[in-house]
Amino acid sequence: EIVLTQSPGTLSLSPGERATLSCRASQSVSSSYLAWYQQKPGQAPRLLIYGASSRATGIPDRFSGSGSGTDFTLTISRLEPEDFAVYYCQQYGSSPPGLTFGGGTKVEIK
Amino acid sequence: QVQLQESGPGLVKPSETLSLTCAVSGYSISSGYYWGWIRQPPGKGLEWIGSIYHSGSTYYNPSLKSRVTISVDTSKNQFSLKLSSVTAADTAVYYCARHLGSGWRIDYWGQGTLVTVSS
């Protein structure tokens, strides 16, 4: 089973700053199988990035994803007030088929 | 617009079976895609429970497999979760979701329903 470790646990930043979130896998993951989600309090998660770097429908271009192998990154170029939330990475494993989520990174207002 | 809505008891007694249903609108389950359940204990992260393909093939989290059953009713355009022998550790918000693509990305989520396990 592949384990996803997200860091840091909490990121304290100001609006307008750049946020860099890390997701590290215990084994190599196909880039096609890596996604990122945003979750705000009391809401279901929302898909931001899939295939490691493709933005989902309606997601602003300040969100970008990159990485390969075991190291993946979600970058928010300039934080807007609505971006303060918890972010999760997710990978799909094929043997057996299933999903794994990272523990999450909370981006909070400094 | 695809919409998913969970329903079921909000309180379940320890050792009993948790049962939830997800009603889908705006898309016919029989047309394709995978349909799954994800849970989130209060204040904690997300855990995949299992998924079902529109044809009925099921896939379960190995850590829960012995207690989980997911089924689909295409005539009602809904799918269901049963989790047996529940304990307080099963207290969580339960989400139903649609996932697709080679990476099973989740593009639609239900709003979530809190299920508390307590006597």
Side-chain angles (χ1 to χ4, degrees), chain B residues 58-69:
Chain B
T58 52
Y59 309 87
Y60 299 133
N61 186 325
S63 68
L64 298 170
K65 186 175 182 177
S66 63
R67 299 193 292 130
V68 174
T69 301

Side-chain angles (χ1 to χ4, degrees), chain A:
Chain A
E1 178 190 343
I2 295 178
V3 176
L4 298 178
T5 302
Q6 293 189 240
S7 61
T10 302
L11 199 51
S12 298
L13 295 168
S14 301
E17 289 193 294
R18 181 185 188 90
T20 303
L21 287 66
S22 172
C23 176
R24 179 162 291 178
S26 58
Q27 303 173 40
S28 184
V29 173
S30 168
S31 297
S32 299
Y33 297 168
L34 197 288
W36 290 91
Y37 300 85
Q38 175 194 68
Q39 187 179 33
K40 297 179 180 179
Q43 296 184 17
R46 175 176 71 143
L47 178 66
L48 296 176
I49 300 288
Y50 64 95
S53 60
S54 297
R55 271 187 300 277
T57 303
I59 301 303
D61 60 8
R62 64 179 181 273
F63 291 92
S64 63
S66 63
S68 63
T70 60
D71 291 299
F72 297 88
T73 301
L74 175 69
T75 302
I76 310 172
S77 60
R78 286 178 55 86
L79 283 164
E80 297 288 340
E82 62 267 28
D83 299 337
F84 291 92
V86 179
Y87 293 83
Y88 294 95
C89 57
Q90 167 244 303
Q91 71 91 25
Y92 164 76
S94 58
S95 297
L99 297 178
T100 305
F101 292 92
T105 291
K106 181 179 182 180
V107 179
E108 65 175 23
I109 299 177
K110 186 175 182 180

Side-chain angles (χ1 to χ4, degrees), chain B residues 10-17 86-91 115-119:
Chain B
L11 181 64
V12 180
K13 289 182 168 57
S15 80
E16 295 190 341
T17 296
V86 297
T87 69
D90 295 309
T91 294
V115 179
T116 301
V117 178
S118 174
S119 55

